[in-house]
Amino acid sequence: MPVEHDVIVVGAGLAGLVATYELTQAGKRVLVVDQENRNNLGGQAFWSLGGLFLVDSPEQRRLGIKDSHELALRDWLGSAGFDRDREDYWPRQWARAYVDFAAGEKRQYLHDLGLRITPVVGWAERGDGRADGHGNSVPRFHLTWGTGPEVVRVFAEPVLDAERRGLVTFAFRHRVDEVVVADGAAVGVRGATLASTDLPRGVASSREVIGDFDFRAQAVIVTSGGIGHNFDLIRRNWPTERLGPAPEHMIAGVPAHVDGRMLGISEDAGASIVNRDRMWHYTEGITNWDPIWPHHAIRIIPGPSSLWLDATGKRFDAPNFPGFDTNSTMKAILATGYDYSWFILTRSIVEKEFALSGSEQNPDITSKDLRFAAKSRLAKGAPGPVQAFLDRGEDFVVADTLHELVDGMNKITRGPALDLKDIEREISARDAQVVNKFAKDAQIMAINNARAFLGDKVVRVAKPHRLLDPDHGPLIAVRLNILSRKTLGGLETNLDSQVMRPDGSAFDGLYAAGEVAGFGGGGVHGYNALEGTFLGGCIFSGRAAGRALARDLA
């Protein structure tokens, strides 16, 4: 069969776009194959908040944040907890290379493409309380001005221009079922052509087969994403011994096409998969009142002030505070025998501290409307998208009194009935610490520490107050569900994004980038993510694949 393209890229998400961009900059001909339609160009990245992990940036320095490559690497390795000699060999190399990138040319690389970031740096995954443990020692979450769609745009536009020039061909609604291997090298892909559709982005599409295809090239790059909507595969790989039993009830933070199929297909072709049990799901999921895909979930990105209770009404121990240690809190939730938990907070807290993840939940930043953003973020009252959940979200209860709040919580509980006296006891103990600036409560100390950072004090963390103070009411409770999201393990790759075989040798012609490769190496994050690292991992690994093939192909 004649070879009409130099490289086939499987997946039109961010990593695929970045790899294609780099290849076309070198004049290579690229075929991009995706099972969804053109409306889904950019994949999951389009739906993201657009957070980027940067180290010692101008934005940090202007806010008085003292960051460094050394500190960031210590945080990364402390969070990753690499402990597998064989499976963590390449992830360790990728971790060091990625921190080098984040502390070096990453910002300028994106700036040159036209991407800009907002001036306030966020402080995500604040950690487990240990100096050498999990978490960000300083704020590093840089929010893209334009959120996820802007991250997609700066790569999609030059790729679409390359399409007009004949360097790029898109084969949408083509589902890959096999990586074709000849003489030990990947030389193409085969699969099924699906019925065409003009459905909007993110909407679940038909899998009706209307034909087949067989494409050939000098190399194949797999950039097909993770397993985030494949609940069966998530449960099959769930680390029960580390996090507890897999949740029975999950909601999906990604569209239905994020099915993980290419992992098994690549493995069948001879690829090595490592760290299958490492994954990153969120504990603060709420059901979207206006869903786009099945079981559509939104994540609350919380400030540190909400009181977090388990399904029985007991307050979680440190470090299980909002925004601190995702996997530790996941373990604590599942240890109760239930798969949900509760926030209790006030109107003052929800107005300042509730951010909702996703481009569609942040229309002011996504639209790059400075006036709209200032009005939305600084004006009194909850931002519009947050208010919509307060009014319509099935996981929310709003009440003037604690008695009414607990009654409302019991109407939506999936487990034991909550006892008013138990809840009142937890809140009263917490409130007694707020009135004393020399508090011993670890969460109150964490709130005070957060407010020492100007960015948090101005736009992110509410002034400490008693939850039962009526001046800050009404009271609000939120039922928090497990939200599926990221695959941290995946196809093992070297620093060129070339896929490895189980014997440790490189797989000729086969490359992988983005989430399907654990964002680099088969698991660059190890056990924990520092946030703002997923889009950057797609960019870095996609760039590595594109540049390696641009260099090596004839």
Side-chain angles (χ1 to χ4, degrees):
M1 177 173 293
V3 175
E4 299 179 359
H5 304 92
D6 298 307
V7 179
I8 295 170
V9 174
V10 181
L14 179 59
L17 288 175
V18 175
T20 302
Y21 164 76
E22 292 290 347
L23 285 161
T24 57
Q25 290 296 295
K28 303 301 181 184
R29 299 164 301 161
V30 183
L31 172 65
V32 182
V33 183
D34 196 286
Q35 65 181 345
E36 298 305 311
N37 64 18
R38 187 179 285 265
N39 292 336
N40 287 276
L41 188 67
Q44 294 179 61
F46 180 91
W47 300 107
S48 76
L49 189 57
L52 296 167
F53 178 92
L54 297 172
V55 178
D56 193 26
S57 69
E59 291 75 21
Q60 288 176 301
R61 293 194 293 271
R62 280 195 288 268
L63 290 168
I65 301 166
K66 295 183 179 180
D67 200 4
S68 68
H69 176 277
E70 180 184 15
L71 182 61
L73 183 60
R74 183 181 297 120
D75 284 349
W76 193 290
L77 296 178
S79 298
F82 295 125
D83 58 2
R84 297 170 177 172
D85 291 341
R86 164 69 182 86
E87 295 194 343
D88 283 337
Y89 174 78
W90 284 113
R92 289 177 192 271
Q93 316 308 311
W94 273 92
R96 293 182 179 277
Y98 183 69
V99 174
D100 289 347
F101 180 58
E105 62 180 311
K106 178 180 178 182
R107 186 181 183 280
Q108 190 63 50
Y109 174 72
L110 294 171
H111 189 276
D112 290 346
L113 284 161
L115 187 139
R116 301 293 182 265
I117 53 183
T118 62
V120 178
V121 182
W123 197 352
E125 280 297 294
R126 302 180 190 220
D128 62 9
R130 296 177 299 141
D132 61 350
H134 169 55
N136 285 295
S137 297
V138 298
R140 296 191 178 104
F141 189 91
H142 295 69
L143 179 61
T144 298
W145 183 237
T147 68
E150 183 71 359
V151 179
V152 171
R153 181 193 69 81
V154 300
F155 291 102
E157 285 187 351
V159 167
L160 293 173
D161 180 65
E163 180 187 24
R164 287 188 287 271
R165 291 184 286 117
L167 285 176
V168 174
T169 302
F170 286 100
F172 292 108
R173 300 296 287 163
H174 283 65
R175 185 190 68 201
V176 172
D177 297 324
E178 179 187 357
V179 175
V180 180
V181 179
D183 298 325
V187 296
V189 293
R190 294 191 186 104
T193 306
L194 305 179
S196 63
T197 172
D198 60 357
L199 288 170
R201 180 187 295 273
V203 176
S205 62
S206 164
R207 290 295 176 263
E208 179 188 356
V209 174
I210 60 172
D212 54 34
F213 65 86
D214 188 332
F215 298 137
R216 301 300 172 95
Q218 296 183 64
V220 175
I221 308 176
V222 178
T223 63
S224 54
I227 66 174
H229 204 111
N230 189 334
F231 292 169
D232 289 340
L233 192 53
I234 289 171
R235 292 188 177 104
R236 193 182 314 157
N237 292 334
W238 189 268
T240 303
E241 72 292 342
R242 192 170 71 250
L243 295 181
E248 293 185 12
H249 179 85
M250 281 191 286
I251 51 180
V254 293
H257 62 254
V258 184
D259 54 21
R261 291 182 70 254
M262 284 304 301
L263 284 164
I265 291 167
S266 300
E267 187 176 31
D268 288 344
S272 171
I273 297 178
V274 294
N275 301 312
R276 300 173 197 262
D277 63 319
R278 294 180 183 168
M279 51 188 75
W280 192 249
H281 306 300
Y282 292 113
T283 53
E284 312 98 332
I286 51 176
T287 303
N288 195 345
W289 63 271
D290 187 21
I292 296 171
W293 55 79
H295 313 294
H296 189 167
I298 300 296
R299 183 203 173 198
I300 296 170
I301 305 176
S305 301
S306 297
L307 184 68
W308 205 338
L309 307 178
D310 69 20
T312 71
K314 181 181 178 182
R315 187 181 182 187
F316 287 116
D317 295 328
N320 304 315
F321 308 137
F324 275 71
D325 190 333
T326 294
N327 276 338
S328 174
T329 309
M330 178 75 75
K331 182 177 181 180
I333 290 169
L334 297 176
T336 67
Y338 303 98
D339 52 21
Y340 68 98
S341 59
W342 299 97
F343 274 171
I344 292 181
L345 59 150
T346 64
R347 183 77 186 191
S348 295
I349 293 173
V350 81
E351 288 179 355
K352 196 162 188 178
E353 296 196 8
F354 265 35
L356 301 177
S357 183
S359 55
E360 83 282 12
Q361 299 297 328
N362 295 272
D364 52 347
I365 307 296
T366 300
S367 63
K368 298 189 286 187
D369 188 326
L370 185 59
R371 182 176 297 180
F372 182 18
K375 181 179 179 180
S376 175
R377 306 285 160 163
L378 299 177
K380 186 174 177 57
V386 174
Q387 186 61 52
F389 274 92
L390 288 169
D391 295 339
R392 306 180 187 183
E394 67 180 61
D395 298 302
F396 286 74
V397 180
V398 181
D400 291 324
T401 69
L402 185 59
H403 185 281
E404 293 171 323
L405 188 79
V406 174
D407 281 349
M409 294 165 72
N410 280 327
K411 289 178 182 177
I412 62 172
T413 184
R414 293 198 301 271
L418 297 165
D419 184 90
L420 173 62
K421 291 183 179 179
D422 290 342
I423 304 297
E424 187 172 29
R425 187 182 308 113
E426 295 286 7
I427 293 176
S428 296
R430 180 261 186 207
D431 279 1
Q433 294 289 304
V434 172
V435 298
N436 183 353
K437 71 175 183 178
F438 300 109
K440 69 178 181 179
D441 185 287
Q443 185 176 4
I444 304 303
M445 290 190 286
I447 293 169
N448 292 333
N449 185 49
R451 285 177 60 83
F453 167 47
L454 180 63
D456 273 357
K457 185 174 183 178
V458 173
V459 300
R460 193 71 174 103
V461 181
K463 185 177 180 179
H465 60 272
R466 293 183 296 112
L467 296 179
L468 296 181
D469 183 345
D471 290 342
H472 293 275
L475 289 164
I476 299 165
V478 188
R479 181 183 60 185
L480 302 172
N481 308 279
I482 306 302
L483 180 158
S484 67
R485 185 62 67 84
K486 297 298 181 185
T487 312
L488 297 190
L491 293 173
E492 185 180 20
T493 59
N494 62 22
L495 289 177
D496 282 337
S497 288
Q498 187 172 15
V499 173
M500 310 304 291
R501 292 182 176 276
D503 65 3
S505 63
F507 194 140
D508 287 346
L510 188 62
Y511 294 72
E515 190 174 350
V516 75
F519 301 94
V524 65
H525 296 92
Y527 290 100
N528 293 286
L530 288 174
E531 294 292 1
T533 56
F534 300 123
L535 293 178
C538 291
I539 292 167
F540 187 52
S541 59
R543 191 180 83 144
R547 289 189 173 185
L549 285 169
R551 178 194 68 216
D552 295 341
L553 290 183

